[in-house]
Amino acid sequence: MSNIQTILVKSDDPDVTSAVSAALSEAEGFRVIYCRDDRCALRRLEEVEVDMILCDLDPDVPERENALIRSRLAHASCARIVIFGPEMMEEGLAMFERTASFMYLLKPLDPKQLGVVVKRGLEHAELARRHRILSRELKLSLDDEIFGREPGGSVAGGISQFERLVYASPKMAELVAEAKIAARTNMPILIQGETGTGKELLARAIHFNSERMNSPMHSQNCGGVADDALHSELFGHVRGGFPGAISDRLGLFRAADGGTVFLDEVSEISPQFQIALLRFLQEGEVKPLGSDKVMSSDVRIISASNKSLEALVEQGRFRRDLYYRLRGFMLEIPPLRERPEDIPVLTRFFVEKYAGVVGRRVLGVTSEVLKQLENYSFPGNVRELETEVQRMVAVAEQGGYIALRHLSERIRRTRAPERAEEGWMPEGATLKEKVESLERMLVSRKLAEHRWNQSRVAEELGLSRVGLANKIKRYGLRREAGHV
Ligand SMILES: Nc1ncnc2c1ncn2[C@@H]1O[C@H](COP(=O)(O)OP(=O)(O)OP(=O)(O)O)[C@@H](O)[C@H]1O
Ligand SMILES: [Mg+2]
Protein backbone atom coordinates (compact mmCIF):
# COMPACT_ATOMS: atom_id res chain seq x y z
CA MET A 1 0.00 0.00 0.00
CA SER A 2 1.24 3.42 -0.82
CA ASN A 3 1.75 5.85 2.02
CA ILE A 4 -0.37 8.43 0.24
CA GLN A 5 -3.96 7.36 0.31
CA THR A 6 -4.84 7.87 -3.28
CA ILE A 7 -8.36 7.07 -4.34
CA LEU A 8 -9.36 6.79 -7.94
CA VAL A 9 -13.01 7.42 -8.72
CA LYS A 10 -14.33 6.30 -12.07
CA SER A 11 -17.75 7.73 -12.80
CA ASP A 12 -19.49 10.05 -15.23
CA ASP A 13 -22.40 10.48 -12.86
CA PRO A 14 -22.34 13.94 -11.21
CA ASP A 15 -24.27 12.58 -8.20
CA VAL A 16 -21.49 10.10 -7.57
CA THR A 17 -18.68 12.62 -7.88
CA SER A 18 -20.38 15.13 -5.64
CA ALA A 19 -21.03 12.47 -2.98
CA VAL A 20 -17.37 11.51 -3.16
CA SER A 21 -16.12 15.04 -2.81
CA ALA A 22 -18.43 15.58 0.16
CA ALA A 23 -17.23 12.38 1.83
CA LEU A 24 -13.52 12.45 1.11
CA SER A 25 -12.19 15.90 1.70
CA GLU A 26 -8.57 16.65 1.17
CA ALA A 27 -8.41 18.03 4.68
CA GLU A 28 -9.07 14.52 5.92
CA GLY A 29 -6.07 13.33 4.04
CA PHE A 30 -7.29 11.83 0.81
CA ARG A 31 -6.02 12.46 -2.64
CA VAL A 32 -8.87 11.83 -5.03
CA ILE A 33 -8.45 11.36 -8.76
CA TYR A 34 -11.57 11.56 -10.89
CA CYS A 35 -11.90 9.78 -14.22
CA ARG A 36 -14.92 9.89 -16.45
CA ASP A 37 -14.32 6.57 -18.16
CA ASP A 38 -12.45 3.29 -17.87
CA ARG A 39 -9.86 4.24 -20.41
CA CYS A 40 -8.82 7.27 -18.41
CA ALA A 41 -8.88 5.18 -15.21
CA LEU A 42 -6.59 2.57 -16.70
CA ARG A 43 -4.14 5.22 -17.77
CA ARG A 44 -4.05 6.78 -14.31
CA LEU A 45 -3.63 3.37 -12.69
CA GLU A 46 -0.44 2.98 -14.65
CA GLU A 47 0.83 6.40 -13.67
CA VAL A 48 0.00 6.67 -10.00
CA GLU A 49 0.07 4.24 -7.14
CA VAL A 50 -3.59 3.95 -6.24
CA ASP A 51 -4.75 2.54 -2.90
CA MET A 52 -8.40 2.23 -3.73
CA ILE A 53 -10.57 2.36 -6.79
CA LEU A 54 -14.25 3.31 -6.64
CA CYS A 55 -15.82 2.18 -9.83
CA ASP A 56 -19.21 3.16 -11.12
CA LEU A 57 -20.30 0.14 -13.14
CA ASP A 58 -20.68 0.68 -16.87
CA PRO A 59 -22.08 -2.50 -18.47
CA ASP A 60 -21.09 -1.38 -21.97
CA VAL A 61 -17.36 -1.42 -21.36
CA PRO A 62 -15.69 -4.52 -22.82
CA GLU A 63 -13.84 -6.73 -20.41
CA ARG A 64 -10.32 -5.91 -21.48
CA GLU A 65 -10.96 -2.22 -20.95
CA ASN A 66 -12.73 -2.66 -17.66
CA ALA A 67 -10.66 -0.81 -15.05
CA LEU A 68 -11.96 -2.89 -12.17
CA ILE A 69 -11.14 -6.22 -13.77
CA ARG A 70 -7.79 -4.99 -14.97
CA SER A 71 -6.90 -3.51 -11.59
CA ARG A 72 -7.53 -6.82 -9.92
CA LEU A 73 -4.87 -8.42 -12.09
CA ALA A 74 -2.34 -5.65 -12.45
CA HIS A 75 -2.72 -3.85 -9.13
CA ALA A 76 -3.68 -6.64 -6.80
CA SER A 77 -3.15 -4.75 -3.56
CA CYS A 78 -5.45 -1.90 -4.59
CA ALA A 79 -8.79 -2.12 -2.74
CA ARG A 80 -11.93 -2.08 -4.90
CA ILE A 81 -15.44 -0.81 -4.37
CA VAL A 82 -18.17 -1.22 -6.99
CA ILE A 83 -20.96 1.32 -7.35
CA PHE A 84 -24.19 0.68 -9.25
CA GLY A 85 -27.85 1.55 -9.32
CA PRO A 86 -30.57 -0.80 -8.02
CA GLU A 87 -31.62 -1.57 -11.62
CA MET A 88 -28.24 -3.21 -12.19
CA MET A 89 -28.29 -5.42 -9.13
CA GLU A 90 -27.50 -8.63 -10.98
CA GLU A 91 -24.55 -7.39 -13.08
CA GLY A 92 -23.32 -5.37 -10.13
CA LEU A 93 -23.17 -8.32 -7.77
CA ALA A 94 -21.53 -10.47 -10.41
CA MET A 95 -18.83 -7.83 -10.91
CA PHE A 96 -18.41 -7.45 -7.15
CA GLU A 97 -17.72 -11.19 -6.81
CA ARG A 98 -15.60 -11.45 -9.87
CA THR A 99 -13.24 -8.66 -8.89
CA ALA A 100 -13.03 -9.69 -5.23
CA SER A 101 -14.07 -6.19 -4.30
CA PHE A 102 -14.12 -5.03 -0.72
CA MET A 103 -17.71 -3.71 -0.86
CA TYR A 104 -20.45 -2.56 -3.18
CA LEU A 105 -22.51 0.60 -2.79
CA LEU A 106 -25.93 1.28 -4.21
CA LYS A 107 -26.91 4.56 -5.77
CA PRO A 108 -27.87 7.11 -4.66
CA LEU A 109 -24.72 7.28 -2.55
CA ASP A 110 -24.89 8.42 1.02
CA PRO A 111 -21.70 10.47 1.67
CA LYS A 112 -21.52 9.38 5.34
CA GLN A 113 -21.72 5.72 4.46
CA LEU A 114 -19.28 6.21 1.62
CA GLY A 115 -16.73 7.84 3.93
CA VAL A 116 -16.95 5.02 6.47
CA VAL A 117 -16.72 2.28 3.86
CA VAL A 118 -13.69 3.86 2.22
CA LYS A 119 -11.85 4.14 5.53
CA ARG A 120 -12.67 0.57 6.50
CA GLY A 121 -11.62 -0.61 3.08
CA LEU A 122 -8.24 1.07 3.42
CA GLU A 123 -7.71 -0.35 6.90
CA HIS A 124 -8.64 -3.75 5.59
CA ALA A 125 -6.07 -3.46 2.82
CA GLU A 126 -3.41 -2.42 5.34
CA LEU A 127 -4.24 -5.40 7.58
CA ALA A 128 -4.08 -7.72 4.59
CA ARG A 129 -0.65 -6.32 3.81
CA ARG A 130 0.60 -6.93 7.34
CA HIS A 131 -0.92 -10.36 7.32
CA ARG A 132 1.02 -11.24 4.20
CA ILE A 133 4.26 -10.18 5.86
CA LEU A 134 3.52 -12.17 9.02
CA SER A 135 2.51 -15.30 7.12
CA ARG A 136 5.80 -15.17 5.35
CA GLU A 137 7.67 -14.93 8.63
CA LEU A 138 5.60 -17.79 9.98
CA LYS A 139 6.38 -19.96 6.99
CA LEU A 140 10.06 -19.34 7.52
CA SER A 141 9.88 -20.24 11.18
CA LEU A 142 7.99 -23.43 10.31
CA ASP A 143 10.89 -24.29 8.05
CA ASP A 144 13.07 -23.85 11.11
CA GLU A 145 11.07 -26.41 13.01
CA ILE A 146 11.19 -28.92 10.23
CA PHE A 147 14.93 -28.67 9.91
CA GLY A 148 15.71 -27.82 13.50
CA ARG A 149 19.32 -28.80 13.07
CA GLU A 150 22.43 -27.33 14.45
CA PRO A 151 23.17 -24.20 12.47
CA GLY A 152 26.39 -23.88 10.57
CA GLY A 153 27.46 -27.43 11.10
CA SER A 154 28.33 -30.16 8.72
CA VAL A 155 25.74 -32.85 8.28
CA ALA A 156 26.47 -36.46 7.40
CA GLY A 157 27.67 -37.41 3.95
CA GLY A 158 29.59 -34.30 2.92
CA ILE A 159 26.51 -32.11 3.09
CA SER A 160 27.04 -28.77 4.72
CA GLN A 161 24.58 -26.31 6.08
CA PHE A 162 24.75 -22.64 6.84
CA GLU A 163 21.50 -22.03 8.65
CA ARG A 164 18.97 -23.16 6.05
CA LEU A 165 21.37 -23.07 3.16
CA VAL A 166 22.31 -26.58 2.06
CA TYR A 167 25.28 -27.28 -0.19
CA ALA A 168 28.08 -29.67 -1.02
CA SER A 169 30.01 -27.83 -3.73
CA PRO A 170 33.40 -26.23 -3.16
CA LYS A 171 32.07 -23.04 -4.73
CA MET A 172 29.38 -22.71 -2.11
CA ALA A 173 31.77 -23.71 0.67
CA GLU A 174 34.00 -20.84 -0.35
CA LEU A 175 31.10 -18.43 -0.49
CA VAL A 176 29.81 -19.48 2.93
CA ALA A 177 33.27 -19.06 4.43
CA GLU A 178 33.30 -15.50 3.11
CA ALA A 179 29.77 -14.90 4.32
CA LYS A 180 30.71 -15.99 7.81
CA ILE A 181 33.54 -13.49 7.88
CA ALA A 182 31.24 -10.76 6.58
CA ALA A 183 28.60 -11.69 9.15
CA ARG A 184 30.93 -10.91 12.02
CA THR A 185 31.55 -7.39 10.78
CA ASN A 186 29.18 -4.45 10.74
CA MET A 187 29.70 -3.65 7.08
CA PRO A 188 26.96 -3.50 4.48
CA ILE A 189 26.78 -6.59 2.31
CA LEU A 190 25.73 -6.86 -1.30
CA ILE A 191 24.54 -10.25 -2.49
CA GLN A 192 24.35 -10.84 -6.22
CA GLY A 193 23.11 -13.88 -8.06
CA GLU A 194 20.56 -15.03 -10.57
CA THR A 195 16.97 -15.45 -9.54
CA GLY A 196 16.33 -18.34 -7.15
CA THR A 197 19.96 -18.86 -6.13
CA GLY A 198 19.21 -18.29 -2.45
CA LYS A 199 20.06 -14.62 -1.92
CA GLU A 200 17.40 -14.08 0.69
CA LEU A 201 18.29 -17.30 2.45
CA LEU A 202 21.92 -16.22 2.59
CA ALA A 203 20.95 -12.81 3.94
CA ARG A 204 19.03 -14.47 6.77
CA ALA A 205 21.86 -16.85 7.50
CA ILE A 206 24.21 -13.87 7.78
CA HIS A 207 21.86 -12.05 10.12
CA PHE A 208 21.52 -15.06 12.39
CA ASN A 209 25.28 -15.46 12.49
CA SER A 210 25.96 -11.88 13.40
CA GLU A 211 25.98 -10.04 16.68
CA ARG A 212 22.66 -8.60 15.62
CA MET A 213 20.88 -11.95 15.74
CA ASN A 214 18.80 -10.99 18.77
CA SER A 215 17.45 -7.88 17.09
CA PRO A 216 15.01 -8.07 14.21
CA MET A 217 15.74 -8.46 10.55
CA HIS A 218 13.25 -6.73 8.27
CA SER A 219 13.00 -7.14 4.52
CA GLN A 220 11.86 -4.71 1.91
CA ASN A 221 11.47 -5.47 -1.74
CA CYS A 222 12.41 -2.38 -3.70
CA GLY A 223 11.20 -3.60 -7.08
CA GLY A 224 8.19 -1.80 -8.49
CA VAL A 225 7.61 0.29 -5.37
CA ALA A 226 7.00 4.01 -5.84
CA ASP A 227 9.43 6.37 -4.14
CA ASP A 228 7.07 7.82 -1.58
CA ALA A 229 5.86 4.34 -0.64
CA LEU A 230 9.42 3.11 -0.27
CA HIS A 231 10.30 6.17 1.74
CA SER A 232 7.45 5.61 4.13
CA GLU A 233 8.19 1.86 4.44
CA LEU A 234 11.82 2.45 5.32
CA PHE A 235 11.89 5.82 7.03
CA GLY A 236 8.31 5.85 8.35
CA HIS A 237 5.83 8.69 8.46
CA VAL A 238 3.81 10.55 11.05
CA ARG A 239 0.05 10.85 11.29
CA GLY A 240 -1.14 13.73 9.20
CA GLY A 241 2.35 14.18 7.82
CA PHE A 242 0.89 14.23 4.34
CA PRO A 243 -2.53 13.63 2.83
CA GLY A 244 -3.66 10.14 3.70
CA ALA A 245 -1.31 9.42 6.59
CA ILE A 246 -4.04 8.04 8.82
CA SER A 247 -1.69 6.82 11.51
CA ASP A 248 2.01 6.86 12.31
CA ARG A 249 4.14 4.28 10.67
CA LEU A 250 7.40 3.19 12.15
CA GLY A 251 9.74 2.72 9.22
CA LEU A 252 11.77 -0.46 8.91
CA PHE A 253 15.03 1.32 9.63
CA ARG A 254 13.70 2.22 13.07
CA ALA A 255 11.83 -1.04 13.56
CA ALA A 256 15.02 -3.00 12.91
CA ASP A 257 17.20 -0.80 15.13
CA GLY A 258 20.11 -2.89 16.30
CA GLY A 259 19.35 -5.49 13.64
CA THR A 260 19.42 -5.90 9.89
CA VAL A 261 17.44 -4.49 6.99
CA PHE A 262 17.38 -6.58 3.85
CA LEU A 263 16.83 -4.56 0.69
CA ASP A 264 15.82 -6.92 -2.07
CA GLU A 265 16.07 -5.91 -5.74
CA VAL A 266 18.06 -2.87 -4.74
CA SER A 267 18.94 -2.25 -8.40
CA GLU A 268 15.38 -1.01 -8.92
CA ILE A 269 15.44 2.09 -6.73
CA SER A 270 15.04 5.47 -8.42
CA PRO A 271 17.83 8.05 -8.65
CA GLN A 272 16.04 10.14 -6.00
CA PHE A 273 15.78 7.27 -3.62
CA GLN A 274 19.40 6.37 -4.23
CA ILE A 275 20.26 9.74 -2.73
CA ALA A 276 18.05 9.15 0.31
CA LEU A 277 19.59 5.75 0.88
CA LEU A 278 23.10 7.05 0.46
CA ARG A 279 22.44 9.74 3.03
CA PHE A 280 21.11 7.15 5.44
CA LEU A 281 24.17 4.97 4.95
CA GLN A 282 26.44 7.93 5.58
CA GLU A 283 24.72 9.44 8.58
CA GLY A 284 22.47 6.71 9.98
CA GLU A 285 19.76 9.34 10.36
CA VAL A 286 16.08 8.72 9.87
CA LYS A 287 13.58 11.46 9.24
CA PRO A 288 10.03 10.17 8.91
CA LEU A 289 7.89 11.81 6.24
CA GLY A 290 6.05 14.79 7.65
CA SER A 291 8.20 15.00 10.74
CA ASP A 292 11.05 17.34 11.37
CA LYS A 293 12.51 15.22 14.11
CA VAL A 294 15.64 13.42 13.11
CA MET A 295 16.13 10.06 14.75
CA SER A 296 19.01 7.72 14.51
CA SER A 297 19.06 4.08 13.73
CA ASP A 298 21.77 1.49 13.82
CA VAL A 299 21.07 -1.16 11.25
CA ARG A 300 23.20 -3.22 8.95
CA ILE A 301 22.07 -3.16 5.35
CA ILE A 302 22.18 -6.35 3.34
CA SER A 303 21.08 -5.73 -0.19
CA ALA A 304 20.45 -8.14 -3.02
CA SER A 305 20.23 -7.87 -6.76
CA ASN A 306 19.92 -10.26 -9.65
CA LYS A 307 21.39 -7.66 -11.95
CA SER A 308 25.01 -6.64 -11.82
CA LEU A 309 25.10 -3.28 -10.03
CA GLU A 310 28.49 -2.64 -11.48
CA ALA A 311 27.06 -2.86 -14.99
CA LEU A 312 24.30 -0.44 -13.98
CA VAL A 313 26.92 1.92 -12.61
CA GLU A 314 28.77 1.74 -15.92
CA GLN A 315 25.55 2.60 -17.73
CA GLY A 316 25.03 5.53 -15.41
CA ARG A 317 21.85 4.06 -13.96
CA PHE A 318 23.12 3.48 -10.46
CA ARG A 319 25.19 5.86 -8.35
CA ARG A 320 28.76 4.79 -8.02
CA ASP A 321 29.11 6.19 -4.50
CA LEU A 322 26.06 4.25 -3.36
CA TYR A 323 27.35 1.09 -5.03
CA TYR A 324 30.62 1.34 -3.11
CA ARG A 325 28.74 1.95 0.13
CA LEU A 326 26.48 -1.07 -0.38
CA ARG A 327 29.25 -3.46 -1.27
CA GLY A 328 31.22 -3.37 1.93
CA PHE A 329 31.29 -7.07 1.21
CA MET A 330 30.24 -8.50 -2.10
CA LEU A 331 28.95 -12.05 -2.21
CA GLU A 332 28.13 -13.66 -5.54
CA ILE A 333 26.05 -16.81 -5.43
CA PRO A 334 26.89 -18.96 -8.44
CA PRO A 335 23.99 -20.27 -10.52
CA LEU A 336 23.01 -23.87 -9.80
CA ARG A 337 24.26 -25.10 -13.18
CA GLU A 338 27.78 -24.05 -12.17
CA ARG A 339 27.68 -26.19 -9.05
CA PRO A 340 26.06 -29.50 -10.06
CA GLU A 341 27.46 -31.14 -6.92
CA ASP A 342 24.72 -29.35 -5.02
CA ILE A 343 21.91 -30.90 -7.05
CA PRO A 344 21.84 -34.33 -5.35
CA VAL A 345 22.06 -32.93 -1.82
CA LEU A 346 19.44 -30.27 -2.49
CA THR A 347 17.18 -32.85 -4.09
CA ARG A 348 17.42 -35.12 -1.07
CA PHE A 349 16.90 -32.19 1.23
CA PHE A 350 13.75 -31.08 -0.59
CA VAL A 351 12.38 -34.63 -0.80
CA GLU A 352 12.70 -34.86 2.96
CA LYS A 353 11.16 -31.44 3.41
CA TYR A 354 8.12 -31.99 1.24
CA ALA A 355 7.58 -35.62 2.15
CA GLY A 356 7.42 -34.35 5.73
CA VAL A 357 5.08 -31.51 4.91
CA VAL A 358 2.52 -33.56 3.04
CA GLY A 359 2.99 -36.61 5.25
CA ARG A 360 3.90 -38.90 2.38
CA ARG A 361 6.37 -41.66 2.52
CA VAL A 362 8.72 -41.34 -0.40
CA LEU A 363 11.86 -43.43 -0.28
CA GLY A 364 13.95 -41.12 -2.41
CA VAL A 365 14.77 -40.48 -6.03
CA THR A 366 16.23 -42.99 -8.46
CA SER A 367 19.73 -42.43 -9.78
CA GLU A 368 18.33 -41.85 -13.26
CA VAL A 369 16.29 -38.97 -11.92
CA LEU A 370 19.34 -37.48 -10.25
CA LYS A 371 21.33 -37.81 -13.42
CA GLN A 372 18.63 -36.13 -15.42
CA LEU A 373 18.40 -33.31 -12.89
CA GLU A 374 22.14 -32.83 -13.05
CA ASN A 375 21.93 -32.51 -16.81
CA TYR A 376 19.30 -29.83 -16.72
CA SER A 377 20.43 -26.22 -16.69
CA PHE A 378 17.93 -24.81 -14.13
CA PRO A 379 17.39 -21.27 -15.34
CA GLY A 380 15.25 -20.76 -12.21
CA ASN A 381 18.07 -22.18 -10.07
CA VAL A 382 17.35 -23.68 -6.63
CA ARG A 383 13.82 -22.35 -6.56
CA GLU A 384 13.06 -24.24 -9.75
CA LEU A 385 14.60 -27.42 -8.33
CA GLU A 386 12.59 -27.00 -5.15
CA THR A 387 9.30 -26.62 -7.01
CA GLU A 388 10.14 -29.59 -9.19
CA VAL A 389 10.82 -31.81 -6.19
CA GLN A 390 7.73 -30.57 -4.42
CA ARG A 391 5.65 -31.53 -7.43
CA MET A 392 7.31 -34.92 -7.78
CA VAL A 393 6.74 -35.76 -4.12
CA ALA A 394 3.08 -34.97 -4.58
CA VAL A 395 2.66 -37.22 -7.60
CA ALA A 396 4.92 -40.10 -6.55
CA GLU A 397 3.36 -43.29 -5.27
CA GLN A 398 3.14 -43.73 -1.53
CA GLY A 399 6.12 -45.71 -0.29
CA GLY A 400 7.89 -45.68 -3.65
CA TYR A 401 10.76 -43.95 -5.34
CA ILE A 402 10.55 -40.85 -7.47
CA ALA A 403 11.22 -42.13 -10.98
CA LEU A 404 11.80 -40.63 -14.41
CA ARG A 405 8.10 -40.59 -15.21
CA HIS A 406 7.51 -38.19 -12.34
CA LEU A 407 9.86 -35.59 -13.79
CA SER A 408 8.29 -32.74 -15.66
CA GLU A 409 8.51 -32.85 -19.42
CA ARG A 410 11.16 -30.16 -19.87
CA ILE A 411 13.58 -31.82 -17.50
CA ARG A 412 12.90 -35.34 -18.71
CA ARG A 413 13.72 -34.20 -22.22
CA THR A 414 17.07 -32.62 -21.42
CA ARG A 415 19.81 -34.34 -23.26
CA ALA A 416 22.87 -35.32 -21.33
CA PRO A 417 25.66 -33.92 -23.47
CA GLU A 418 24.08 -30.51 -23.71
CA ARG A 419 25.89 -29.29 -20.68
CA ALA A 420 28.77 -31.68 -20.64
CA GLU A 421 29.75 -30.30 -24.00
CA GLU A 422 30.85 -26.93 -22.66
CA GLY A 423 33.75 -28.27 -20.73
CA TRP A 424 34.23 -31.27 -23.00
CA MET A 425 37.78 -32.28 -23.78
CA PRO A 426 38.67 -35.20 -25.99
CA GLU A 427 40.23 -38.07 -24.14
CA GLY A 428 43.25 -40.08 -25.14
CA ALA A 429 46.94 -39.54 -25.66
CA THR A 430 47.32 -39.73 -29.42
CA LEU A 431 45.53 -37.74 -32.07
CA LYS A 432 43.74 -40.88 -33.20
CA GLU A 433 42.41 -41.49 -29.70
CA LYS A 434 41.31 -37.91 -29.35
CA VAL A 435 39.52 -37.97 -32.71
CA GLU A 436 37.78 -41.18 -31.75
CA SER A 437 36.67 -39.76 -28.47
CA LEU A 438 35.25 -36.75 -30.28
CA GLU A 439 33.48 -39.01 -32.75
CA ARG A 440 32.00 -41.04 -29.93
CA MET A 441 30.67 -37.88 -28.29
CA LEU A 442 29.14 -36.57 -31.52
CA VAL A 443 27.45 -39.85 -32.40
CA SER A 444 26.06 -40.35 -28.94
CA ARG A 445 24.74 -36.79 -28.86
CA LYS A 446 22.93 -37.20 -32.14
CA LEU A 447 21.47 -40.50 -31.03
CA ALA A 448 20.12 -38.94 -27.87
CA GLU A 449 18.81 -35.95 -29.79
CA HIS A 450 16.80 -38.16 -32.11
CA ARG A 451 15.90 -40.67 -29.46
CA TRP A 452 17.83 -43.38 -31.19
CA ASN A 453 16.09 -43.03 -34.50
CA GLN A 454 19.04 -44.55 -36.34
CA SER A 455 17.96 -43.71 -39.89
CA ARG A 456 17.67 -40.03 -38.94
CA VAL A 457 20.99 -40.00 -37.19
CA ALA A 458 22.74 -41.78 -40.05
CA GLU A 459 21.27 -39.31 -42.49
CA GLU A 460 22.27 -36.29 -40.45
CA LEU A 461 25.80 -37.52 -39.91
CA GLY A 462 26.20 -38.56 -43.52
CA LEU A 463 26.68 -42.22 -42.66
CA SER A 464 25.07 -45.35 -43.98
CA ARG A 465 22.88 -47.24 -41.52
CA VAL A 466 25.44 -50.02 -41.40
CA GLY A 467 28.20 -47.48 -40.83
CA LEU A 468 26.30 -46.03 -37.91
CA ALA A 469 25.58 -49.47 -36.48
CA ASN A 470 29.30 -50.23 -36.62
CA LYS A 471 30.15 -47.08 -34.72
CA ILE A 472 27.54 -47.81 -32.09
CA LYS A 473 29.04 -51.23 -31.64
CA ARG A 474 32.62 -50.03 -31.62
CA TYR A 475 32.01 -47.36 -29.02
CA GLY A 476 29.68 -49.53 -26.95
CA LEU A 477 26.90 -46.94 -27.07
CA ARG A 478 23.72 -47.96 -25.38
CA ARG A 479 20.31 -46.50 -25.21
CA GLU A 480 19.65 -45.23 -21.70
CA ALA A 481 16.60 -46.29 -19.75
CA GLY A 482 15.34 -42.74 -19.62
CA HIS A 483 15.19 -42.22 -23.35
CA VAL A 484 12.05 -43.96 -24.42
N1 LIG B 1 21.30 -23.63 -0.81
C1 LIG B 1 19.99 -23.75 -0.56
N2 LIG B 1 19.55 -24.66 0.31
C2 LIG B 1 18.23 -24.81 0.57
N3 LIG B 1 17.27 -24.09 -0.02
C3 LIG B 1 17.65 -23.17 -0.91
C4 LIG B 1 19.03 -22.94 -1.21
N4 LIG B 1 19.10 -21.95 -2.12
C5 LIG B 1 17.84 -21.57 -2.36
N5 LIG B 1 16.96 -22.30 -1.64
C6 LIG B 1 15.50 -22.20 -1.69
O1 LIG B 1 15.17 -21.73 -2.99
C7 LIG B 1 14.15 -20.76 -2.93
C8 LIG B 1 14.64 -19.45 -3.50
O2 LIG B 1 15.59 -18.87 -2.62
P1 LIG B 1 15.66 -17.30 -2.36
O3 LIG B 1 14.30 -16.73 -2.25
O4 LIG B 1 16.59 -17.05 -1.23
O5 LIG B 1 16.32 -16.87 -3.74
P2 LIG B 1 16.63 -15.43 -4.31
O6 LIG B 1 18.00 -15.49 -4.83
O7 LIG B 1 16.31 -14.41 -3.28
O8 LIG B 1 15.62 -15.36 -5.54
P3 LIG B 1 15.02 -14.05 -6.28
O9 LIG B 1 16.14 -13.36 -6.97
O10 LIG B 1 14.06 -14.64 -7.26
O11 LIG B 1 14.37 -13.23 -5.21
C9 LIG B 1 13.72 -20.65 -1.48
O12 LIG B 1 12.60 -21.46 -1.26
C10 LIG B 1 14.92 -21.18 -0.73
O13 LIG B 1 14.53 -21.76 0.47
MG1 LIG C 1 14.79 -12.93 -3.32
Side-chain angles (χ1 to χ4, degrees):
M1 191 173 91
S2 158
N3 57 354
I4 295 186
Q5 306 279 292
T6 305
I7 296 171
L8 189 146
V9 181
K10 197 243 28 166
S11 178
D12 58 358
D13 178 347
D15 290 343
V16 168
T17 41
S18 67
V20 170
S21 58
L24 308 173
S25 74
E26 211 154 292
E28 266 195 282
F30 295 105
R31 181 210 277 168
V32 186
I33 300 173
Y34 295 95
C35 288
R36 290 185 59 82
D37 54 32
D38 285 69
R39 196 169 299 212
C40 158
L42 283 174
R43 210 168 46 237
R44 299 313 299 270
L45 278 171
E46 293 307 320
E47 294 162 1
V48 213
E49 181 126 350
V50 170
D51 297 299
M52 176 178 276
I53 166 164
L54 293 173
C55 199
D56 190 350
L57 193 64
D58 179 351
D60 298 332
V61 174
E63 213 178 290
R64 74 199 138 72
E65 282 171 24
N66 185 308
L68 212 53
I69 295 178
R70 292 276 300 272
S71 76
R72 168 161 201 211
L73 302 173
H75 309 270
S77 59
C78 161
R80 291 168 294 279
I81 293 179
V82 205
I83 301 168
F84 48 86
E87 75 288 353
M88 279 207 287
M89 203 63 192
E90 205 173 307
E91 299 103 305
L93 286 179
M95 186 56 74
F96 166 73
E97 289 295 340
R98 157 130 202 233
T99 53
S101 289
F102 171 70
M103 189 59 72
Y104 66 86
L105 291 171
L106 283 181
K107 293 187 194 177
L109 295 182
D110 164 21
K112 273 233 155 50
Q113 184 194 21
L114 176 67
V116 172
V117 168
V118 165
K119 274 172 212 154
R120 285 279 184 280
L122 289 169
E123 281 166 17
H124 183 265
E126 170 69 12
L127 287 176
R129 191 185 74 92
R130 291 189 195 170
H131 180 259
R132 275 197 302 277
I133 295 174
L134 287 175
S135 313
R136 195 146 155 262
E137 292 296 317
L138 184 65
K139 178 182 162 289
L140 287 167
S141 63
L142 279 179
D143 273 7
D144 271 344
E145 272 170 40
I146 297 170
F147 311 118
R149 296 180 185 159
E150 284 295 296
S154 182
V155 189
I159 307 177
S160 304
Q161 250 187 295
F162 180 37
E163 296 290 327
R164 258 169 280 135
L165 218 61
V166 178
Y167 57 94
S169 62
K171 280 191 177 174
M172 284 300 282
E174 208 175 293
L175 180 77
V176 166
E178 250 179 275
K180 285 182 177 168
I181 295 171
R184 274 181 244 120
T185 71
N186 242 334
M187 315 251 300
I189 299 174
L190 173 62
I191 303 174
Q192 287 192 162
E194 288 181 12
T195 177
T197 45
K199 296 185 291 295
E200 187 161 354
L201 219 52
L202 181 61
R204 285 183 177 275
I206 290 172
H207 172 74
F208 287 111
N209 279 268
S210 74
E211 283 174 4
R212 297 171 175 271
M213 61 182 291
N214 293 319
S215 301
M217 161 159 165
H218 286 298
S219 306
Q220 174 65 42
N221 195 319
C222 306
V225 185
D227 268 15
D228 48 4
L230 201 54
H231 204 104
S232 142
E233 291 291 348
L234 293 175
F235 294 92
H237 67 236
V238 295
R239 183 190 164 97
F242 54 86
I246 294 176
S247 55
D248 287 359
R249 179 182 287 165
L250 185 66
L252 294 187
F253 284 151
R254 293 273 299 151
D257 199 9
T260 306
V261 169
F262 176 58
L263 297 179
D264 208 355
E265 297 191 49
V266 74
S267 57
E268 303 307 302
I269 62 177
S270 74
Q272 278 75 32
F273 201 78
Q274 291 179 26
I275 299 176
L277 188 58
L278 180 65
R279 199 170 304 142
F280 173 73
L281 282 164
Q282 284 166 342
E283 337 253 312
E285 286 180 350
V286 178
K287 206 174 128 218
L289 270 182
S291 155
D292 33 50
K293 245 185 39 213
V294 175
M295 294 176 274
S296 70
S297 161
D298 163 37
V299 295
R300 185 229 292 259
I301 305 275
I302 303 181
S303 43
S305 170
N306 50 28
K307 297 180 186 154
S308 153
L309 283 194
E310 186 163 13
L312 293 179
V313 168
E314 292 307 323
Q315 295 161 21
R317 287 163 55 197
F318 203 87
R319 293 182 68 100
R320 188 177 295 274
D321 43 8
L322 178 58
Y323 171 59
Y324 287 141
R325 279 272 169 183
L326 291 175
R327 51 164 289 178
F329 275 89
M330 162 88 118
L331 301 172
E332 295 241 31
I333 311 189
L336 188 55
R337 65 184 163 281
E338 284 176 17
R339 44 182 169 110
E341 306 94 320
D342 287 341
I343 292 177
V345 302
L346 283 167
T347 304
R348 261 173 234 130
F349 178 73
F350 292 137
V351 167
E352 211 180 294
K353 171 173 175 178
Y354 289 105
V357 170
V358 294
R360 294 182 72 98
R361 264 176 42 77
V362 174
L363 297 177
V365 300
T366 65
S367 54
E368 295 156 321
V369 168
L370 268 191
K371 205 159 140 207
Q372 204 58 13
L373 288 170
E374 284 174 59
N375 284 330
Y376 180 65
S377 62
F378 285 103
N381 292 295
V382 185
R383 180 180 295 114
E384 186 179 3
L385 175 61
E386 179 167 4
T387 329
E388 177 68 14
V389 172
Q390 181 177 16
R391 206 190 45 76
M392 291 197 293
V393 168
V395 297
E397 293 80 24
Q398 188 77 275
Y401 278 92
I402 293 175
L404 279 176
R405 64 178 179 283
H406 299 122
L407 273 171
S408 53
E409 191 75 11
R410 66 182 189 292
I411 300 180
R412 202 176 341 139
R413 283 177 178 253
T414 321
R415 272 167 277 110
E418 223 164 67
R419 232 206 25 225
E421 192 191 24
E422 285 170 25
W424 190 86
M425 282 292 289
E427 292 162 15
T430 63
L431 178 64
K432 181 159 182 284
E433 283 169 357
K434 282 188 202 292
V435 169
E436 278 179 356
S437 125
L438 177 66
E439 187 176 59
R440 181 183 197 279
M441 193 275 281
L442 292 173
V443 173
S444 106
R445 249 201 93 177
K446 268 287 172 247
L447 283 165
E449 187 180 329
H450 294 301
R451 303 168 149 226
W452 280 72
N453 180 336
Q454 293 190 28
S455 348
R456 271 283 310 261
V457 173
E459 194 189 339
E460 284 208 25
L461 293 177
L463 293 169
S464 67
R465 283 215 51 172
V466 177
L468 177 65
N470 283 339
K471 295 209 187 294
I472 290 174
K473 208 166 137 205
R474 178 146 124 240
Y475 294 128
L477 299 176
R478 263 182 308 145
R479 184 173 188 164
E480 280 179 40
H483 297 293
V484 218

